[in-house]
Amino acid sequence: MKRKLIAGNWKMNGGLVQNQALVQAVREGLPAQSCGVAMCVPAPYLAQLAELVRASGIDLGSQDVSAHEQGAYTGEVSAGMLRDFGVRYAIVGHSERRQYHGESDATVALKAQRALAVGIAPIVCVGETLAQREAGQTEEVVKRQLAAVIHQNGHCISEIAIAYEPVWAIGTGKTASPEQAQAVHALLRTQLRAATPHPERVHILYGGSMNAANAAALLAMPDIDGGLIGGAALKAADFLFIIQAGSVPA
Ligand code: 13P
């Protein structure tokens, strides 16, 4: 059975002093038989984090990657630059980027391709809005979002991770129930089956108000392979509690 993966998405939070305290506390509290742990941090802090997580078992992640390889794209950060800092995971297609930065399914698929080309595993985010859930469109929306990535990257699809993040659960304190999340994860797994002989190797993470109180029940579901944690990843005690829940042998 594969190890679960607990990844923190710091979003636009952090500072040189806070980062040091947070990483140190998480390092010191990691269980001996830990699940996979990653911290996806703002780009300016990658160099600092690369030092702070050295030899800790914590992997480094970015929150985005450019869809372009290099050149005149002011403000963009390329996959090659991320690799220079030892980045192992890159979140792509987070709903905040789709919503506030107009990222389309096609752009997200290209970003995943750029990451894969340099050996970085994209964490592809999919998820429906509340209106889409209420209109019964959840399945259609998440399948369409994943299909774009499969279409562009079919040959190396087993190298990606997926995060199911219902938009209505992000930062709201409302969590999908373990059964609601499991139902969508199972759908995504079935969709992967058509693209890879080893769909079970792909980590499908749940994200959206995952916290110390609800993590164990979510992580106990058969197709929930870990979590993508926002707010609770900024507090060492909460993040460690979730890591502990993910590290319990199944
Ligand atoms: P919260 O855990 O703060 O709801 O954020 C989830 C998220 O968006 C992780 O990418």
Side-chain angles (χ1 to χ4, degrees):
M1 171 165 248
K2 65 181 180 289
R3 281 197 317 166
K4 292 197 191 289
L5 172 63
I6 301 297
N9 174 7
W10 289 9
K11 308 193 179 184
M12 201 170 71
N13 293 292
L16 289 172
V17 176
Q18 298 103 289
N19 300 350
Q20 180 152 16
L22 177 57
V23 177
Q24 194 172 330
V26 172
R27 277 187 76 133
E28 285 169 4
L30 282 180
Q33 300 285 324
S34 179
C35 63
V37 177
M39 291 180 171
C40 301
V41 306
Y45 298 132
L46 286 170
Q48 181 198 18
L49 263 285
E51 286 301 318
L52 290 175
V53 302
R54 191 178 297 280
S56 67
I58 299 172
D59 286 314
L60 193 51
S62 68
Q63 299 173 11
D64 189 23
V65 60
S66 179
H68 305 285
E69 200 173 345
Q70 65 165 30
Y73 300 102
T74 301
E76 291 280 271
V77 176
S78 75
M81 294 170 186
L82 297 175
R83 190 189 45 190
D84 281 346
F85 288 93
V87 164
R88 172 144 185 221
Y89 297 101
I91 297 172
V92 297
H94 191 281
S95 62
E96 288 151 14
R97 299 225 43 102
R98 293 179 190 261
Q99 194 178 346
Y100 307 135
H101 302 273
E103 290 191 9
S104 65
D105 291 342
T107 303
V108 173
L110 267 177
K111 290 184 169 198
Q113 187 176 33
R114 294 290 177 213
L116 287 164
V118 302
I120 292 174
I123 301 177
V124 177
C125 298
V126 301
E128 81 287 2
T129 63
L130 185 57
Q132 288 166 332
R133 174 162 281 267
E134 287 175 349
Q137 295 167 345
T138 299
E139 176 170 350
E140 176 194 330
V141 169
V142 299
K143 279 186 164 175
R144 190 201 67 224
Q145 291 171 331
L146 181 57
V149 175
I150 292 176
H151 180 71
Q152 187 83 24
N153 300 284
H155 55 291
C156 39
I157 210 69
S158 62
E159 311 299 317
I160 72 166
I162 299 171
Y164 169 54
E165 299 209 314
V167 178
W168 48 271
I170 295 176
T172 58
K174 287 187 202 141
T175 320
S177 69
E179 295 73 23
Q180 278 175 323
Q182 166 59 28
V184 177
H185 284 229
L187 272 176
L188 296 169
R189 186 91 60 201
T190 301
Q191 191 177 356
L192 285 171
R193 197 160 289 133
T196 166
H198 299 294
E200 74 285 352
R201 287 189 194 160
V202 175
H203 279 91
I204 307 181
L205 315 179
Y206 169 78
S209 299
M210 197 189 252
N211 58 37
N214 60 30
L218 285 158
L219 293 169
M221 303 310 280
D223 286 297
I224 300 186
D225 305 315
L228 186 56
I229 321 297
L234 299 171
K235 296 177 212 130
D238 291 16
F239 194 50
L240 281 167
F241 204 96
I242 299 169
I243 291 167
Q244 193 76 53
S247 303
V248 174

